[in-house]
Amino acid sequence: MKMLKTRWPVVLMALFLCVGITACGNGTGGDAESGTDEGDTTSAEAESPDTTEEGSSEESVASTGADTSDTTSNEEPEALSLDRVTMAADNGDFMDSLIWSTADARYWPELGFTEPVEATVTQDFVAGLVGGSAWVVQGENNLFWSAMAEGSVPMRSIGVHMDGEAWILGIDEDVDPANLEGLKITGGSPGERNETIGREILTELGFDPDNVEWITVPGGPEERFRALAADQVDMAVLQPELEGLLEDIGGEFIYDEMRVIPQAGWAVTAETMENNRDAVCAFVEGQLAARQWLSEGPDRTANQDEAVELAAEYGLEPTEGDLKEWGNFLGDVLSVDGGSPAPSFDEWTEQMALQGLVPD
């Protein structure tokens, strides 16, 4: 269910100024504007999450000393205005972390970053950008766009991280899908995109989303699944890779659709964009290269074994669900070229306006 004919390589909205990937050049090869769904190749890098207490909202990622000497050129890369990628992200699951670890191991050093990435997983990623603990952030676009619309944060969107959005509602084994009124549900934290998805799904299923009890569960889909498995909630907004685990405890997906929506992206401050444009462009170029390398092959698994070995150097280990959904994630959820179909931006903006997150 992809619209591939017209794609915007980066977010081009009248809502805010944005950075065209084409302005950065194509460095290591790969066409950021190809609009194709497979085979575009560019470059990227990052680092590995430390283990923290389950349910914590933040994980610091320190250098693991992984070998980042895989370069394609004998020439010394030109020095950048920033020596490392310092990044904050709202999701630390394996597939998200795989992308930046691939970028760090294979591409960013040859693009000029001389130090290992410093990555932090936190729900307060915008605060990290504003406070200076990270110069680039990856997270839900609704938070970026609302901040930019109200003018509270001088931010610039620099690309799309994910343009496929899984709309999935999972229920516990004792839940009657025909009778959801009054039950407990989680879509994460209040105001997050997944709560909006949960409300929309309930509406489409014929239920009033205000007649259920919304439970706050900080973190990502794995935390929401754990809440469901622990009987803290009766239903949860989940992701495809969790279907097997849900079935193991007797639950099921009662709604499962993929929508084309520029749901998540990258952003920097206006000051960083002005003063460190070379580093911003190198970050994007490396990200795209990692995504395109990870997506090679007819079923997008040509480099899977090598990628899993690489991720292990960063302390990352995939679940069975991650491996099962590998091709679907890279093909349907992840934006391989840093863009999204042009009509999807209109739909997204309309949804944000209805929620009062951006001006009408």
Side-chain angles (χ1 to χ4, degrees):
M1 110 179 256
K2 285 177 174 284
M3 295 180 288
L4 295 171
K5 291 185 178 179
T6 306
R7 294 181 65 88
W8 294 358
V10 288
V11 183
L12 301 173
M13 300 294 297
L15 186 60
F16 52 84
L17 292 175
C18 54
V19 180
I21 291 176
T22 52
C24 299
N26 286 331
T28 59
D31 183 357
E33 287 190 287
S34 67
T36 60
D37 170 59
E38 182 175 338
D40 296 344
T41 311
T42 9
S43 356
E45 318 184 359
E47 215 180 283
S48 88
D50 290 336
T51 304
T52 61
E53 250 180 71
E54 205 170 275
S56 78
S57 64
E58 180 169 318
E59 300 175 35
S60 291
V61 181
S63 172
T64 61
D67 181 10
T68 59
S69 61
D70 180 9
T71 60
T72 58
S73 171
N74 292 325
E75 295 182 9
E76 193 72 22
E78 186 175 343
L80 298 172
S81 57
L82 297 171
D83 62 2
R84 72 171 79 224
V85 173
T86 305
M87 173 182 173
D90 66 345
N91 192 334
D93 67 17
F94 175 80
M95 292 304 293
D96 271 84
S97 300
L98 174 69
I99 299 163
W100 56 250
S101 61
T102 299
D104 185 51
R106 293 181 58 88
Y107 301 107
W108 278 335
E110 71 176 84
L111 290 168
F113 290 110
T114 58
E115 299 294 328
V117 74
E118 290 183 351
T120 301
V121 179
T122 174
Q123 296 302 299
D124 299 321
F125 56 96
V126 174
L129 184 67
V130 176
S133 60
W135 62 258
V136 60
V137 290
Q138 175 178 292
E140 296 181 1
N141 272 326
N142 62 316
L143 299 179
F144 295 157
W145 295 13
S146 59
M148 286 185 277
E150 68 183 23
S152 60
V153 182
M155 295 167 61
R156 298 291 181 265
S157 177
I158 60 172
V160 177
H161 168 46
M162 294 190 294
D163 72 335
E165 187 170 61
W167 283 36
I168 295 174
L169 185 64
I171 59 172
D172 208 350
E173 63 175 329
D174 296 326
V175 173
D176 179 2
N179 185 19
L180 303 180
E181 301 282 353
L183 299 184
K184 295 180 179 180
I185 182 174
T186 183
S189 298
E192 288 186 352
R193 176 64 181 169
N194 285 293
E195 183 178 283
T196 300
I197 291 172
R199 297 181 69 87
E200 291 292 330
I201 289 175
L202 289 174
T203 301
E204 291 189 19
L205 291 175
F207 299 99
D208 184 346
D210 292 323
N211 286 341
V212 297
E213 183 179 355
W214 290 91
I215 305 298
T216 297
V217 178
E222 293 180 356
E223 285 73 26
R224 296 194 293 275
F225 169 76
R226 292 190 190 106
L228 186 63
D231 295 325
Q232 296 171 1
V233 296
D234 304 298
M235 47 189 169
V237 179
L238 299 174
Q239 288 295 310
E241 65 271 15
L242 296 171
E243 184 172 18
L245 293 176
L246 182 61
E247 291 174 347
D248 288 344
I249 62 172
E252 63 176 323
F253 286 173
I254 60 171
Y255 192 102
D256 183 0
E257 286 189 9
M258 185 64 66
R259 306 288 179 92
V260 181
I261 292 288
Q263 59 159 314
W266 309 302
V268 298
T269 64
E271 182 179 2
T272 297
M273 191 64 247
E274 180 178 355
N275 297 332
N276 310 104
R277 189 183 186 91
D278 59 340
V280 173
C281 290
F283 167 83
V284 172
E285 188 174 351
Q287 277 274 356
L288 300 188
R291 292 154 187 264
Q292 293 159 6
W293 179 78
L294 289 167
S295 301
E296 288 179 3
D299 58 357
R300 302 178 185 277
T301 61
N303 297 319
Q304 186 183 68
D305 291 344
E306 184 178 350
V308 169
E309 290 180 7
L310 180 155
E313 298 181 21
Y314 291 82
L316 303 171
E317 183 176 352
T319 64
E320 289 185 10
D322 290 324
L323 297 177
K324 179 182 176 182
E325 293 295 327
W326 184 284
N328 291 335
F329 177 81
L330 293 172
D332 296 331
V333 178
L334 195 72
S335 174
V336 179
D337 61 7
S340 188
S344 71
F345 286 96
D346 294 332
E347 180 181 351
W348 178 259
T349 304
E350 289 172 7
Q351 291 181 10
M352 295 300 97
L354 288 173
Q355 291 178 254
L357 298 176
V358 298
D360 292 332

